[in-house]
Every structure is written in structure tokens, then in C-alpha cells.
């Protein structure tokens, strides 16, 4: 890396810290609760007890991603169940193979992935020392005699049955951010929450970027940035979710603090 490159990166970082209040939340470690624990209002549907109940532990980031410590007090049982069957299920389907491959511990233990032509699971009985066990893959067809060369050419993994709607994954990422925000900024995301709850798909949204993360995360890490000034050239809120060996970078859309939508061509 050249000196000019380092100077450029440090300049961008300095600008970022000037414009944004940045907080990082880790799904590992001590329990951390968000929102009120008494006289609660659900931040997703706006209802209160006794109209809704808050008896379930609502994870701010889905537990299937390895989150054990970030809990949202202000997510009612109805919304919790609805999200688990819709946007969280889509996110789970999208990441299922990687969650099994990296042995991420979810609500029901280690995940098993059943593709269209294979099953994959971790055999913990084979664990020894630092080795957590053998990854087992069972295919529904016979392999040719020359297995090593066949695998080098193309391993026949069919995940087409793990269906998901990409926009639902985006909604789920934004739902994680809404879950950890302070109450004094939640009022700026009423339209965002409507979008998360609405089954309608929007055609013009900011781009979600994802790629390899710099490190491996056995539990999710969420970086949330809230703009401190009124410079509308920057989105009011953006976030980065890092989990396993991948990271998602995304803008939280429909904030009332944004003048632009930050979509392509806007």
C-alpha cells in the first residue's frame, strides 16, 4: 500500500467520523437490551399491552446468525412470529449453506442444510481438540469412480429449494438496525418500518453491497452510523452487518431525515 493510498483511506475515515455517530453492536458477550422493559410499545406495530404480549425473547439480530446477546425489549410476540416466518426465514434460506459450513450455533443448535440434491451437517461426535467435527455431505446420486477429479471440476450442489426474496433480506437487515436504535431517533424511521411490515416490493431502493469481510465472525457484528449534521449529500443512516466471512453494507431507506433516496440515478 502506497503512502498516497494510506493518506486517502485516513482522509475518508476522518470524514466518516466527522459526519457520523458510529456504534458497533456484537452478538457475542454480555447481554444487551434495547428499549424499555416496562410499559412497552412495539417499535414495529406500535401496539402496547394488553393488545399485544412481550413474553418471547426477541433477538435484535436473528439468533440463527449466532446472536446470543442483543435483545430488543420492544418487539411484541406477534411481530416476532411474523418476522420469523417471512423476512428472517428468507435470510435464513439465503445463508443456510454458509451457516452449516461454518457451524454457526442457532436457536436449535447446529444447522443442517438440505439442498435439492444433498444434505449437509456437522458430526460433533468426531470432534477432537480444536477440530469441531467432520462436515458430512450426503448426495442423492452415485459419484463416478474418479471422485477427486470430478469434485475439482464441479461439485453438484443444488440449493434452488432454499428460496428467498432478495428485498426481504434487505428488509431483515434494516429490521436489525431498527431493533438497536435509541428511541429518540426511531421517529425518523416510521416509513422504514412501514416498508419492513409491508409485503409489497418496491422497485427503486438503494443498492445493498456485500462481499468478503476482513475477519471471520462466529457471532454477528453490526455497525450503525447515524448522521450528526444536516448534510443531505450523505444518507442519514447506513450500516454494516458482518457475519461469518461475509459483510453487508446498506443504507436504511425512507428516513424522514433524507432528502434523496440514494438509488441509482436519483
Amino acid at each position: 500500500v502506497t503512502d498516497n493510498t494510506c493518506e486517502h483511506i485516513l482522509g475518508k475515515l476522518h470524514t466518516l467520523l466527522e459526519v457520523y455517530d458510529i456504534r458497533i453492536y456484537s452478538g457475542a458477550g454480555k447481554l444487551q437490551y434495547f428499549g424499555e422493559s416496562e410499559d412497552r410499545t412495539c417499535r414495529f406495530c406500535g401496539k402496547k399491552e394488553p393488545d399485544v404480549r412481550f413474553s418471547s425473547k426477541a433477538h435484535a439480530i436473528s439468533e440463527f446468525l449466532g446472536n446470543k446477546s442483543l435483545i430488543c425489549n420492544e418487539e411484541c410476540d406477534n411481530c416476532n412470529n411474523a418476522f420469523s416466518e417471512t423476512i428472517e426465514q428468507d435470510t435464513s434460506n439465503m445463508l443456510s449453506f454458509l451457516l452449516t459450513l461454518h457451524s454457526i450455533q442457532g436457536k436449535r443448535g447446529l444447522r443442517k442444510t438440505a439442498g435439492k440434491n444433498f444434505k449437509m451437517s456437522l458430526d460433533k461426535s468426531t470432534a477432537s481438540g480444536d477440530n469441531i467435527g467432520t462436515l458430512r455431505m450426503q448426495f442423492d446420486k452415485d459419484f463416478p469412480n474418479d471422485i477427486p477429479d470430478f469434485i475439482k471440476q464441479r461439485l453438484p450442489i443444488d440449493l434452488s429449494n432454499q428460496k428467498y426474496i432478495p428485498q426481504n433480506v434487505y428488509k431483515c437487515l434494516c429490521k436489525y438496525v431498527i431493533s438497536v436504535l435509541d428511541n429518540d431517533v426511531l421517529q425518523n424511521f416510521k416509513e422504514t418500518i412501514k416498508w419492513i411490515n409491508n409485503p409489497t416490493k418496491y422497485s427503486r431502493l438503494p443498492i445493498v453491497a456485500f462481499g468478503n469481510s476482513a475477519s471471520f465472525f462466529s457471532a454477528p457484528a453490526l455497525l450503525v452510523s447515524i448522521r450528526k449534521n444536516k448534510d443531505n449529500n450523505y444518507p442519514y443512516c447506513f450500516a454494516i452487518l458482518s457475519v461469518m466471512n461475509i459483510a453487508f453494507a446498506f443504507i436504511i431507506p425512507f428516513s424522514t431525515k433524507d432528502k434523496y433516496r440514494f438509488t441509482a440515478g436519483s
Side-chain angles (χ1 to χ4, degrees), residues 27-28 65-67 102-105 215-220 242-245:
L65 294 178
N67 171 41
H102 292 296
S103 308
I104 302 301
Q105 189 85 16
S215 304
F216 180 82
F217 295 84
S218 57
S242 299
V243 59
M244 299 175 289
N245 62 336

Side-chain angles (χ1 to χ4, degrees), residues 41-251:
T41 299
C42 177
R43 54 179 64 188
F44 296 101
C45 69
K47 295 179 180 179
K48 303 178 65 172
E49 291 180 313
D51 295 328
V52 293
R53 293 174 57 83
F54 295 88
S55 58
S56 299
K57 182 185 288 187
H59 288 77
I61 300 175
S62 301
E63 193 174 4
F64 65 75
L65 294 178
N67 171 41
K68 301 296 182 183
S69 59
L70 305 176
I71 308 298
C72 180
N73 283 330
E74 297 174 344
E75 181 179 331
C76 73
D77 294 351
N78 292 345
C79 288
N80 187 292
N81 291 332
F83 291 141
S84 69
E85 295 173 358
T86 53
I87 59 176
E88 289 185 310
Q89 183 61 57
D90 279 27
T91 307
S92 172
N93 287 350
M94 176 183 174
L95 298 175
S96 181
F97 182 85
L98 289 176
L99 292 168
T100 301
L101 182 65
H102 292 296
S103 308
I104 302 301
Q105 189 85 16
K107 180 182 293 187
R108 298 176 180 84
L110 295 171
R111 172 182 293 268
K112 298 179 181 179
T113 294
K116 200 167 185 179
N117 67 337
F118 76 98
K119 294 179 181 179
M120 182 169 69
S121 62
L122 183 73
D123 186 352
K124 292 185 68 175
S125 67
T126 60
S128 62
D130 293 334
N131 185 346
I132 60 175
T134 300
L135 190 67
R136 295 188 179 276
M137 297 188 71
Q138 178 184 347
F139 290 88
D140 63 0
K141 61 183 293 186
D142 293 332
F143 280 82
N145 292 329
D146 195 355
I147 293 178
D149 284 345
F150 178 71
I151 292 177
K152 287 178 184 177
Q153 293 175 27
R154 184 179 64 181
L155 192 62
I157 293 175
D158 187 346
L159 285 163
S160 60
N161 63 325
Q162 298 288 333
K163 299 184 183 300
Y164 63 92
I165 298 171
Q167 192 168 145
N168 278 357
V169 177
Y170 187 10
K171 289 180 179 181
C172 190
L173 295 173
C174 293
K175 183 258 177 185
Y176 296 156
V177 175
I178 297 296
S179 295
V180 301
L181 289 177
D182 293 337
N183 278 295
D184 59 348
V185 299
L186 272 178
Q187 61 182 344
N188 302 319
F189 296 96
K190 291 180 180 178
E191 292 302 314
T192 309
I193 293 170
K194 286 182 182 178
W195 166 66
I196 291 172
N197 286 320
N198 197 323
T200 304
K201 296 189 289 291
Y202 291 74
S203 59
R204 289 176 62 89
L205 290 167
I207 294 172
V208 177
F210 69 95
N212 293 332
S213 61
S215 304
F216 180 82
F217 295 84
S218 57
L222 181 65
L223 179 150
V224 179
S225 303
I226 300 287
R227 195 181 67 224
K228 295 185 288 188
N229 58 33
K230 296 182 179 180
D231 189 343
N232 286 311
N233 291 307
Y234 297 92
Y236 179 64
C237 180
F238 77 89
I240 299 174
L241 176 71
S242 299
V243 59
M244 299 175 289
N245 62 336
I246 58 175
F248 298 87
F250 54 99
I251 293 170

